[in-house]
Amino acid sequence: MKIEEVIKATVPMSLPKKIILNIMYTQNVIGENFNEIVKAHDLSPEQYNVLRILRGQKGKPANMCVIQERMVAKTSNTTRLVDKLLLKELVTREVCPDNRRKMEVAITQKGLDLLKELDPVIDSHEEKFTKNLTVEEQETLNTLLEKYRNA
Amino acid sequence: MKIEEVIKATVPMSLPKKIILNIMYTQNVIGENFNEIVKAHDLSPEQYNVLRILRGQKGKPANMCVIQERMVAKTSNTTRLVDKLLLKELVTREVCPDNRRKMEVAITQKGLDLLKELDPVIDSHEEKFTKNLTVEEQETLNTLLEKYRNA
DNA sequence: CTACAATATTTGTATGTACAAATGTAGTAT
DNA sequence: ATACTACATTTGTACATACAAATATTGTAG
């Protein structure tokens, strides 16, 4: 569906406006789809994100700053996200012995198991949208988005 | 900046994953920029959106359903958005005489004036990101996003 | 006409987000 | 040691969002 149909536009829009709306709306579609997936496992999208970041640390714990700077939505409240994950015993949180200002957050086995369970579902979610594009088109989309963003 | 740098990825990512993250993050960048603009005029992005939809009605009032289906984020709570706009006297809300289940929401002169003030700022915001792409690239980006989304 | 389903909107509630202020710790200059 | 600045995280508060349930109105079948 073209973006004009999505928002039922009555007048023609400029190309810049169409692109913005297209990006906003596409993110919305992806986000809702993703939300359904993680919600079925009692996670919010951002909670999943934190778990994924922690797994990427390969055993090494991460402090709050590190988690924050690796998140896509940079303004999330990391403290409260980790609070929720702690309650579900998916992560641990301890004061860093070298620097007591910092916290060491690590994923638990339970957390790793949950991610493993989610992996194939997430993968197919990612591929679901991509499958309509050729590899060449995928590369182009990626490049154009990066070029666009760096204004 | 490439998406891998943004999220400081340690391992290479699949193309489908990169595209998803790229769209999510790009939306984030646009969104924050847009947020700053409307916030300076004491509006939230969604409030602005509703005003814009009402102006598009060209004098004809819109009921809640119509507003909802024209919004980019389809899950917003239209009632409360309109509540906020009412408080600022940017819109009016009346029961529809033909069908008392429906509401007729219309933009006021004050609302139109506010939009007019915002127009040039919004336009330059939209063009700011687009200016790094040729018109041909813009068309391609648009087409690829639509193709991508319709999975 | 009555009961029932469909439509349109509102409200309640839990949760999430944005942002400033507060807290606690570490490093540095005097 | 003291005062000051920078750093890391947490907390408070207002606001927004998601979603189910409630309310009110209209249309329709018997």
Side-chain angles (χ1 to χ4, degrees):
Chain A
M1 210 197 291
K2 287 197 182 297
I3 190 67
E4 293 95 322
E5 301 166 46
V6 172
I7 65 159
K8 304 205 192 328
T10 47
V11 287
M13 287 186 288
S14 71
L15 200 41
K17 203 180 278 283
K18 275 201 281 190
I19 293 176
I20 292 235
L21 289 174
N22 239 327
I23 293 172
M24 301 290 242
Y25 182 66
T26 306
Q27 184 273 348
N28 235 277
V29 172
I30 300 171
E32 277 184 22
N33 204 289
F34 182 59
N35 192 47
E36 274 175 39
I37 293 172
V38 296
K39 201 183 164 186
H41 295 258
D42 202 32
L43 287 177
S44 76
E46 292 306 325
Q47 286 171 19
Y48 171 80
N49 225 336
V50 172
L51 285 183
R52 206 178 37 72
I53 290 166
L54 292 175
R55 177 169 65 177
Q57 290 289 101
K58 301 189 175 87
K60 222 177 60 184
N63 55 47
M64 305 302 258
C65 284
V66 169
I67 297 175
Q68 185 119 24
E69 73 183 8
R70 297 200 179 188
M71 295 215 287
V72 181
K74 305 290 187 191
T75 60
S76 291
N77 193 322
T78 315
T79 301
R80 285 190 270 243
L81 277 174
V82 171
D83 285 347
K84 295 289 166 62
L85 294 172
L86 262 174
L87 283 177
K88 293 176 217 163
E89 299 177 349
L90 301 172
V91 302
T92 58
R93 177 170 56 187
E94 285 169 28
V95 175
C96 172
D98 297 342
N99 185 339
R100 296 198 302 170
R101 282 175 301 189
K102 294 189 183 180
M103 285 300 189
E104 290 191 334
V105 183
I107 189 166
T108 62
Q109 187 58 48
K110 192 174 170 190
L112 288 169
D113 292 345
L114 177 55
L115 283 189
K116 195 153 214 165
E117 204 180 321
L118 273 162
D119 280 342
V121 194
I122 299 283
D123 285 351
S124 72
H125 161 253
E126 285 161 355
E127 284 154 21
K128 172 182 167 191
F129 291 103
T130 316
K131 72 166 199 283
N132 278 3
L133 302 183
T134 67
V135 174
E136 201 182 356
E137 285 173 327
Q138 294 172 34
E139 304 271 17
T140 307
L141 178 53
N142 232 339
T143 310
L144 288 179
L145 281 170
E146 276 159 9
K147 210 167 159 188
Y148 177 83
R149 190 172 62 226
N150 295 328
Chain B
M1 211 196 292
K2 288 195 182 299
I3 191 66
E4 292 96 322
E5 301 165 46
V6 172
I7 65 159
K8 305 203 191 328
T10 47
V11 287
M13 287 184 291
S14 72
L15 200 41
K17 203 179 278 282
K18 276 202 280 189
I19 293 176
I20 292 237
L21 289 174
N22 238 328
I23 293 172
M24 301 291 240
Y25 182 66
T26 306
Q27 185 272 349
N28 236 276
V29 172
I30 299 171
E32 278 184 21
N33 204 290
F34 182 58
N35 192 47
E36 276 176 37
I37 293 172
V38 295
K39 202 183 164 186
H41 295 258
D42 203 33
L43 287 177
S44 75
E46 292 306 325
Q47 285 171 21
Y48 172 80
N49 224 337
V50 172
L51 285 184
R52 205 178 37 70
I53 290 165
L54 292 175
R55 177 170 63 178
Q57 291 288 102
K58 301 190 175 85
K60 222 178 58 185
N63 55 47
M64 306 302 258
C65 284
V66 169
I67 296 174
Q68 186 120 20
E69 72 182 10
R70 297 200 179 189
M71 295 215 286
V72 181
K74 305 288 186 195
T75 60
S76 292
N77 193 320
T78 316
T79 300
R80 286 191 268 243
L81 276 174
V82 171
D83 286 346
K84 296 290 164 64
L85 293 172
L86 261 174
L87 282 178
K88 293 178 218 164
E89 300 176 349
L90 300 172
V91 302
T92 57
R93 176 170 56 187
E94 284 168 31
V95 175
C96 172
D98 297 341
N99 186 338
R100 295 197 303 169
R101 282 176 300 188
K102 295 189 184 179
M103 285 299 190
E104 290 192 333
V105 183
I107 188 166
T108 62
Q109 187 58 46
K110 192 174 169 188
L112 288 169
D113 292 345
L114 177 56
L115 284 188
K116 196 153 213 168
E117 204 181 321
L118 273 162
D119 279 342
V121 196
I122 299 285
D123 285 350
S124 71
H125 161 252
E126 284 161 355
E127 284 154 19
K128 173 183 165 188
F129 290 102
T130 316
K131 72 167 197 281
N132 277 5
L133 303 183
T134 66
V135 173
E136 202 182 354
E137 284 173 329
Q138 294 171 34
E139 304 270 16
T140 308
L141 178 53
N142 230 341
T143 310
L144 287 179
L145 281 170
E146 275 159 8
K147 209 168 160 188
Y148 176 84
R149 188 173 62 226
N150 295 329

